Amino acid sequence: MYRFLLTPRWLGGTALAVAAVVVCVWLGSWQLGRFEDRVTTHHETEQSLTASGETRPIDALLSPASPQVTTETVGKPVSITGSYDTEHQLLVPNRVLDGKQGYYVLTPLRTADGHAVAVVRGWAAGSPSGAVEPAPTGPVTVTGRLQANESVGSNGAVAGGLPAGQLGMINRASLLNVLEYDGWYDGWVAADQVPAGLTAVPTVQPQGGDGLTLRAFQNLGYTLEWFVFGGFVIFMWFRLVRREAEAEQDRALGLDPVLD
C-alpha cells in the first residue's frame, strides 16, 4: 500500500521535506544558542557587578590598548588621583534611586597628565539645586566603581535641552561638548565615599549589556517558530502520505470515483 513512496514524485517530495526539517532544526538550534549566549552574558555581568575585587588604578583597566568600559570592567573598583575641578560641577537630573526621583552630582577630576574623569560624588532626591557640599580642593584620591557610558533612554538620559550647569547624559561625547579637556576617560566613576546629604550611586546595569534584552527574547521566540515550522512539515508529510495510502486502498478495492 505504501509502494507509492518509491515513485520519483514521492522520493523528491520526501527529500524536500527532510531538507526543510533539517533547515528548521538548524535555524532553531542557532537561535537557541544565541539566546543561551545572551543569558550567559547576563549571568557573567551580574557576577561582575556584585564582585568586590581589588581596587586598582583606573589606568590598569582603561589603558590605550583597552580604553572603553565593557561588561567585563563595569562595576570594577578603581582609584583615581587628581584634583576636582570645582568650578565645573554638573548636575545630572532624572535619575531614579530606590524608586525616588533625583539627580547625580558630577564633578570632573583632573589627573596630573591633564586628563579628566567624570566622578559622580552621589545622588540627591528632588530637583537639581546647588545646595550640595562642595568638592574638596587640592590633590585627592577617589575610590569608586567604573560605570558604562549612558545612552538616550537609559536611566533617564536625554540628549540635551537642559539649563546651563546640567548634563542630560553621562558619556564622553556629551562631556566633551561641555568641557574641552585634553581627554576624558571612558564612562564614569561612582564614588564610594559621598559627602553629607548625598547617597552613593550603586553600579548601574549597562543598557543592553546584561544579555536579557528584548532581542534575547526575540531569539527565544524565533527558536520556537523554527521548531514549530519543522514540526508542521513533518505533520503535513504524514498527512499527505496517509491520504495517498487511503486513495491507493480505495483504488485497490475498485472504489475510485466514476468520472462522467
Side-chain angles (χ1 to χ4, degrees):
M1 184 169 61
Y2 291 96
R3 285 180 295 179
F4 64 86
L5 291 173
L6 300 178
T7 62
R9 180 172 68 89
W10 273 96
L11 287 174
T14 301
L16 182 62
V18 170
V21 171
V22 169
V23 170
C24 289
V25 171
W26 179 78
L27 289 173
S29 300
W30 179 73
Q31 291 288 353
L32 181 60
R34 293 286 294 168
F35 174 74
E36 291 174 342
D37 289 343
R38 295 181 188 278
V39 172
T40 300
T41 301
H42 167 71
H43 291 317
E44 291 176 349
T45 302
E46 279 193 332
Q47 292 174 359
S48 174
L49 295 180
T50 56
S52 56
E54 177 186 359
T55 301
R56 303 170 64 187
I58 193 170
D59 288 327
L61 296 180
L62 301 182
S63 63
S66 180
Q68 295 183 330
V69 179
T70 66
T71 54
E72 295 180 355
T73 55
V74 67
K76 297 294 184 182
V78 294
S79 63
I80 319 104
T81 299
S83 300
Y84 279 117
D85 184 357
T86 55
E87 295 182 0
H88 295 101
Q89 181 166 278
L90 297 169
L91 303 181
V92 187
N94 303 321
R95 297 303 183 268
V96 177
L97 186 61
D98 295 332
K100 298 179 181 179
Q101 190 80 10
Y103 59 95
Y104 292 160
V105 178
L106 187 157
T107 310
L109 185 75
R110 302 294 303 276
T111 61
D113 60 3
H115 284 69
V117 182
V119 176
V120 171
R121 297 195 297 124
W123 173 92
S127 301
S129 68
V132 178
E133 181 178 326
T137 58
V140 294
T141 296
V142 176
T143 60
R145 285 148 290 104
L146 272 179
Q147 311 276 13
N149 285 317
E150 294 182 336
S151 57
V152 174
S154 65
N155 195 30
V158 295
L162 297 175
Q166 295 187 22
L167 184 70
M169 181 166 46
I170 309 176
N171 60 36
R172 185 186 295 176
S174 298
L175 291 165
L176 282 171
N177 288 334
V178 177
L179 299 171
E180 296 183 359
Y181 294 142
D182 293 338
W184 286 90
Y185 280 90
D186 191 56
W188 50 287
V189 173
D192 291 330
Q193 301 296 324
V194 300
L198 298 183
T199 302
V201 177
T203 300
V204 179
Q205 190 81 267
Q207 186 182 33
D210 64 346
L212 292 182
T213 60
L214 177 60
R215 183 169 296 180
F217 291 102
Q218 286 178 338
N219 291 136
L220 185 59
Y222 294 150
T223 298
L224 297 176
E225 286 182 4
W226 284 117
F227 288 157
V228 168
F229 290 159
F232 180 74
V233 171
I234 295 173
F235 167 77
M236 288 301 300
W237 185 86
F238 275 106
R239 183 174 181 180
L240 292 174
V241 168
R242 181 179 178 182
R243 188 174 68 177
E244 185 70 15
E246 290 174 349
E248 287 286 336
Q249 188 177 26
D250 289 345
R251 283 191 287 269
L253 296 173
L255 300 177
D256 280 344
V258 178
L259 300 178
D260 295 333

